[in-house]
Amino acid sequence: MERRLRILVAKPGLDGHDTGAKVVARALRDAGLEVIYTGLRQTTDQIVSAALQEDVDFIGLSILSGTHLFHAEKLIDQLREKGMGHIQVIVGGCIPQGDVPKLKELGVAGVFRPGTSFEELVAFLATEKN
């Protein structure tokens, strides 16, 4: 039996809007992934700790507050420091197109802006893990 992909969906920082993260988490679950949702206002330390405990393949950051560069860089640095650099980070939310290359330079595997279909997201995760 093949292990299902596991993704941790997290809302870092003070952003208090999580409807989109919950919708994405449900869509991923419905597509057959194991989804762990951490809830609102998580620190990067909390996210890294949860990722370790849950043995995830991906961390999906849902960010609407404009702090995507800060949180992605901090999270990826912490993952590498703890020997968890194999966990891929994706970012979704209101991300300006001009910031996509910057996020990729930081090590973000994928950036999903408004309008991305759930099918596209699931296909990306399946392709990236194989």
Side-chain angles (χ1 to χ4, degrees):
M1 186 171 178
E2 190 175 319
R3 179 180 174 269
R4 292 191 304 169
L5 289 178
R6 294 175 60 86
I7 183 167
L8 182 117
V9 176
K11 292 288 298 179
L14 299 177
D15 183 354
H17 303 282
D18 67 345
T19 302
K22 289 177 179 177
V23 170
V24 169
R26 174 168 272 172
L28 293 175
R29 186 203 64 206
D30 290 349
L33 281 76
E34 290 188 44
V35 180
I36 300 92
Y37 175 59
T38 62
L40 290 169
R41 298 180 185 92
Q42 299 295 297
T43 67
T44 52
D45 288 333
Q46 291 170 317
I47 295 167
V48 169
S49 178
L52 176 62
Q53 291 172 13
E54 296 291 345
D55 188 28
V56 298
D57 302 299
F58 294 93
I59 296 172
L61 297 179
S62 173
I63 304 174
L64 302 175
S65 63
T67 59
H68 46 277
L69 293 170
F70 171 79
H71 287 297
E73 181 174 23
K74 190 171 179 183
L75 178 70
I76 290 169
D77 286 348
Q78 287 179 319
L79 288 170
R80 289 178 180 153
E81 287 170 12
K82 296 192 181 286
M84 298 167 58
H86 62 282
I87 298 175
Q88 296 186 63
V89 175
I90 62 173
V91 176
C94 295
I95 311 299
Q97 184 64 41
D99 286 350
V100 173
K102 296 172 190 171
L103 287 165
K104 297 281 187 123
E105 287 175 21
L106 293 173
V108 170
V111 179
F112 300 92
R113 301 176 67 239
T116 302
S117 71
F118 296 129
E119 293 81 12
E120 184 180 347
L121 175 57
V122 170
F124 174 87
L125 295 171
T127 302
E128 283 298 306
K129 195 55 190 167
N130 293 327

